[in-house]
Amino acid sequence: MERKEKLNLSMLFDFYEMTMANGYFRSGMQDRITYFDVFFRRVPDGGGFAIAAGLEQLVDYIRDLHFDEDDIAFLRSKNLFQEDFLDYLRAFRFTGDMWAVPEGTPVFPGEPLVTVRASASQAQLIETFALLAINHQSLIATKANRVVRAAKGRAVMEFGSRRAQGVDGAVVGARAAYIGGVHGTACAVSDQLYGVPAVGTMAHSWVQMFPTQYDAFKTYCEIYPTNAVLLVDTYNTLKSGVPDAIRAFNEVLKPQGITKCGIRLDSGDIAYLTKEARKMLDEAGWETCTISASNSLDEILIRDLLLQGAKIDSFGVGERLITARSEPVFGGVYKLTAVEEADGSITPKIKISENVAKITTPHFKKLFRFYGNDTGKAIADYLTIHDETVDDSGSLTIFDPEATWKRKEVYDFTAKELQVPVFQAGELVYDLPSLPAIRDYCREQVDTLWDEVKRFDNPHKYYVDLSQKLWDVKHNLLEDMSR
């Protein structure tokens, strides 16, 4: 069989999704309505929260869900599927419902980031891509947000394309990093496709191409006088790099009245070198010259550099961001939580395990966030059964589900439902926000979290409680299973 010129992402599924879809078809269960949740169990890097991302790519995938004749021929070649099932796939489309938390929302373990209500076959076949999209981009957005917070208001640029895990790792990874708060990316196609601002100036090879370092700097300033950021560590940062940069600025920029310029360091003792470079630039009258730093940085190194008094105005962060190198797996899962009966009633489903963390929370649910009316800060999250409402006019006692003796009295709060409708009967009903709007929303929502929750080390435990009605359903199912 010839290789297809264009990949149909509908075929991006774990093969057991198709064998199960076929099994449902053969058993007459293909149209049984099911409920699935996408959630994660643990925040990467021991952090206090994660950032939800990847919804737009999941929406695009679902809108284009189909199988063409090449796909049918491939599946026929596996000698597992009969022709009536292959005919069924020819007309296959997503006709279900979906709810999700908006991209950029801070989220916590156990919360449904996406809820799917669809026929068994449809819900099953979208599992792999749903997890791929949400896991990858939530991971990178979460890591980027940590890096940005460590920079304490200084600009962060994503520089990881060349070390990303494949094309999508670079392209949508830059998108996710922008949601998390970076100012731009080195990945030009992410700017072209998504509007993530592409930035960049020179590499060491530019400096090496010229007879002298000064010639390289002078030429660059002449070509890009309004964007002259010079890489000063090709040879010797303090003996020649910074002095040659100052000379080029004096001879090319100063006569034009241009004061905006910068230098970048990519090696050596960044804390020491930036402090010395700052002194040299200031003494030469270039107080407006900015200093950027790169070289295998992450949130911990950035935090330490600033604690050491490094004079850095912006950071370029590459491989440790785009691969989330310290913990490169988000760990989101896709689990059945309920099935719908012929009369419209909903039967909750639970998965149990000796590993308590892997016991699922059953039922078709709603997710609320409580905000204090006096502070605007997020107090706790609250999971209910779909037909419950929350009365935020009084007080409410919430518990830590992992330690039910821990309780918190919540009062003077506003309850906000976090999930929004995305698809209804297969039709997109959600206006996808622009990427800058998602980024702004992420920043605003992170600001609603208390600083204690945002600590890198030993963050405060944020409460995610179950309503009494939902807790009773879960408890009763567990008791039934133990008999």
Side-chain angles (χ1 to χ4, degrees), residues 421-477:
V422 180
F423 285 95
Q424 289 182 353
E427 295 297 321
L428 181 65
V429 295
Y430 178 58
D431 290 330
L432 292 167
S434 69
L435 196 58
I438 297 171
R439 184 175 180 268
D440 290 345
Y441 168 78
C442 180
R443 183 182 65 251
E444 292 164 2
Q445 291 303 303
V446 171
D447 284 346
T448 68
L449 301 178
W450 291 97
D451 289 343
E452 292 81 355
V453 177
K454 294 187 280 188
R455 283 196 301 256
F456 292 154
D457 301 316
N458 299 314
H460 177 74
K461 174 69 179 296
Y462 185 89
Y463 278 62
V464 179
D465 194 14
L466 310 184
S467 71
Q468 186 64 54
K469 186 176 179 181
L470 180 56
W471 169 255
D472 289 343
V473 169
K474 184 173 184 177
H475 182 71
N476 291 338
L477 284 172

Side-chain angles (χ1 to χ4, degrees), residues 9-10 12-18 20 24 36-38 58 61-62 65 92 94 114 116 119-135 332-336:
L9 291 178
S10 301
L12 203 169
F13 52 75
D14 293 307
F15 197 69
Y16 75 174
E17 313 289 8
M18 187 60 74
M20 284 190 288
Y24 294 141
F36 281 82
D37 283 346
V38 173
L58 177 56
Y61 160 82
I62 288 176
L65 189 63
F92 195 86
F94 183 79
V114 176
V116 175
S119 69
S121 294
Q122 292 176 23
Q124 204 74 69
L125 277 169
I126 70 172
E127 174 180 3
T128 303
F129 194 91
L131 289 176
L132 170 65
I134 302 300
N135 274 334
V333 294
Y334 186 89
K335 297 297 181 182
L336 178 70

Side-chain angles (χ1 to χ4, degrees), residues 414-428:
T414 296
K416 176 185 176 183
E417 191 172 348
L418 289 189
Q419 284 192 332
V420 297
V422 180
F423 285 95
Q424 289 182 353
E427 295 297 321
L428 181 65

